[in-house]
Amino acid sequence: MNWLILLPGKSETDAEYERKTACYTELLEKKHASYTVFNEEINSSAASLQSFLTTAAEATHCIIVKRYRTEAEIADDFVPGYICGRNVPGFVEIGFKGFCDTSSDGLRFFQSSDDIIKDIDANYRLYQKDETQKAAFKALFDAGIPFTADSFATYIATDNRYICRLFLAAGMGINCSNSEGTPMLNVAARNEQYECVKWLLKNGADINGVSKDRGYSAVMDSVWKKDRKITELLISQRADLSFISRDGQPILVLAVGIGDAEICRLLVEHGADPDVKDSMGMSAYGYAVLFRKPKIVEILKKYHKE
């Protein structure tokens, strides 16, 4: 954040301006915030306006060190109007009732400088988060990247973590789904992006989220892709191995179907039941016997109870 402390005209004593400015700078230094104090006169001359505009252009937040005593005084002043126009959060002290609990285009109104200080102190992390979100959204916009779940999924699929972080910082939900109803964790699993799966889980992705297209959880998608590494990772993070897909398929039946003995071993050793039946009334063990898969039969036999 880049804070701007503005002194746009000295209607109070110099000592009072200095006291307020010192309080603001002390608070911002305590927060380790970057700030600039602009104490030049702002008038209609080209040089004055250019100096102000150059300084204000980089500001993300603005404190106006001036006590406005009427609404008309605010409306007639160029500075609050400019802050409104840029939609920069501005903190304004006013000396009249009935206006202090409202805000207008980013301006917030307070009845004293002490109230401004208390608000910034209490809400600094929130202002910091909002600014981070705004900056991330701008970075995506400047790069021509749409802020949509489908776009996010594209960068998940290719494990472009820099862009993915921008999406999260800009406010995209970690558990959002693309237009086909596929959660981001499933997208990463289907594209065999191991590091991206780890990153999503670290950032709070629902490990048991279900896709609308296949009705699979992420661990079912990793089994379907025969990706042992991601399957093992999801199991280690307590993925639900008792989950049955929308079409009635248990995860171990899926594993038997793709014929991967080592994935079958991994699943059954971590609690997947070889005797749970699918919508056709067949179990993983039954399919392994029926389709003559002796290696898988041998693995499942130890856990077979029926």
Side-chain angles (χ1 to χ4, degrees), residues 256-304:
V256 171
I258 64 171
D260 193 310
E262 288 310 308
I263 285 183
C264 288
R265 184 192 306 279
L266 187 61
L267 292 172
V268 79
E269 285 179 352
H270 287 86
D273 189 343
D275 297 323
V276 174
K277 293 180 172 59
D278 65 7
S279 58
M280 303 292 291
M282 286 287 288
S283 68
Y285 183 80
Y287 279 120
V289 172
L290 179 65
F291 292 110
R292 299 178 183 179
K293 298 184 177 184
K295 199 170 183 180
I296 295 177
V297 170
E298 192 62 30
I299 291 169
L300 301 185
K301 186 185 295 184
K302 179 180 175 182
Y303 304 90
H304 172 57

Side-chain angles (χ1 to χ4, degrees), residues 65-300:
V65 189
K66 176 179 179 179
R67 187 173 175 82
Y68 294 92
R69 290 176 171 78
T70 66
E71 292 185 37
E73 190 178 347
I74 296 173
D76 291 340
D77 194 334
F78 163 76
V79 172
Y82 175 79
I83 299 303
C84 283
R86 285 200 58 223
N87 200 25
V88 170
F91 299 79
V92 183
E93 183 183 352
I94 58 175
F96 54 94
K97 298 289 186 180
F99 207 51
C100 60
D101 294 328
T102 64
S103 63
S104 172
D105 296 329
L107 293 183
R108 300 196 62 202
F109 301 99
F110 301 84
Q111 297 238 287
S112 72
S113 58
D114 288 341
D115 289 339
I116 294 176
I117 288 169
K118 287 176 184 176
D119 179 87
I120 295 173
D121 192 30
N123 297 302
Y124 188 80
R125 287 188 179 180
L126 178 61
Y127 295 141
Q128 201 169 34
K129 181 181 177 181
D130 288 345
E131 182 54 33
T132 299
Q133 183 171 336
K134 188 188 299 183
F137 187 86
K138 184 178 184 301
L140 290 171
F141 180 82
D142 289 346
I145 299 172
F147 186 66
T148 65
D150 281 344
S151 181
F152 186 28
T154 298
Y155 291 95
I156 290 289
T158 56
D159 193 22
N160 187 327
R161 219 83 52 77
Y162 170 73
I163 299 297
C164 289
R165 289 189 187 98
L166 286 179
F167 271 98
L168 284 196
M172 185 66 70
I174 195 74
N175 288 310
C176 69
S177 298
N178 65 15
S179 56
E180 295 178 343
T182 308
M184 294 302 118
L185 189 62
N186 295 63
V187 171
R190 291 179 186 186
N191 287 276
E192 302 176 81
Q193 297 292 357
Y194 176 81
E195 292 299 328
C196 196
V197 168
K198 282 205 306 185
W199 177 78
L200 287 164
L201 290 172
K202 184 178 178 181
N203 282 278
D206 179 4
I207 197 168
N208 295 313
V210 181
S211 66
K212 288 184 179 178
D213 53 359
R214 295 194 188 103
Y216 281 6
S217 63
V219 70
M220 289 194 80
D221 273 320
S222 67
V223 168
W224 172 67
K225 293 294 290 189
K226 298 185 180 182
D227 193 317
R228 297 177 191 176
K229 192 175 180 182
I230 290 180
T231 300
E232 190 168 13
L233 169 63
L234 292 169
I235 289 173
S236 74
Q237 297 299 308
R238 301 184 179 180
D240 182 8
L241 301 185
S242 65
F243 173 78
I244 296 177
S245 70
R246 185 181 58 206
D247 61 0
Q249 189 177 44
I251 191 169
L252 203 49
V253 168
L254 176 62
V256 171
I258 64 171
D260 193 310
E262 288 310 308
I263 285 183
C264 288
R265 184 192 306 279
L266 187 61
L267 292 172
V268 79
E269 285 179 352
H270 287 86
D273 189 343
D275 297 323
V276 174
K277 293 180 172 59
D278 65 7
S279 58
M280 303 292 291
M282 286 287 288
S283 68
Y285 183 80
Y287 279 120
V289 172
L290 179 65
F291 292 110
R292 299 178 183 179
K293 298 184 177 184
K295 199 170 183 180
I296 295 177
V297 170
E298 192 62 30
I299 291 169
L300 301 185

